[in-house]
């Protein structure tokens, strides 16, 4: 995760499924939890960026590795994902 996060600005707002991640540690924590349960493959279709912003178009394929229950999501602080 450090490689990807090294490209993040110091101040950002990454929104996903009603959650807002504003620190690198919040992003790292979410994806470490998520990838314990799900394999994720990302196919980049388009990329546009400048000094102010980045936009991407991707196809994401998710494959379950182990059961992810609503109670496990809630315990980790991601209960709204169900």
């Amino acid at each position: 995760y450090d490689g990807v996060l090294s490209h993040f600005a110091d101040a950002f707002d990454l929104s996903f499924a009603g959650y807002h991640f504003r620190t690198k540690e919040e992003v790292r924590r979410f994806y470490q939890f998520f990838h314990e349960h799900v394999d994720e493959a990302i196919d980049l279709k388009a990329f546009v960026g400048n000094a102010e912003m980045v936009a991407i178009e991707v196809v994401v394929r998710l494959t379950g590795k182990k059961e992810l229950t609503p109670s496990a999501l809630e315990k980790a602080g991601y209960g709204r994902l169900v």
Side-chain angles (χ1 to χ4, degrees):
Y1 304 106
D2 290 334
V4 171
L5 290 172
S6 71
H7 297 283
F8 279 48
D10 290 332
F12 63 89
D13 184 354
L14 174 64
S15 60
F16 169 73
Y19 293 92
H20 291 270
F21 303 104
R22 295 182 177 96
T23 69
K24 293 176 184 182
E25 187 52 40
E26 288 174 338
V27 173
R28 179 182 287 109
R29 183 177 162 267
F30 171 76
Y31 276 105
Q32 284 175 332
F33 171 80
F34 183 70
H35 289 143
E36 287 176 12
H37 298 85
V38 176
D39 280 328
E40 179 180 33
I42 300 172
D43 183 12
L44 179 64
K45 298 296 184 183
F47 174 90
V48 178
N50 61 34
E52 300 293 319
M53 154 184 349
V54 171
I56 60 173
E57 180 181 345
V58 299
V59 174
V60 178
R61 181 180 181 97
L62 303 174
T63 306
K65 296 187 329 189
K66 66 180 187 179
E67 183 177 18
L68 182 53
T69 64
S71 61
L73 286 165
E74 191 66 43
K75 183 178 178 183
Y78 306 119
R80 293 189 313 247
L81 290 178
V82 275

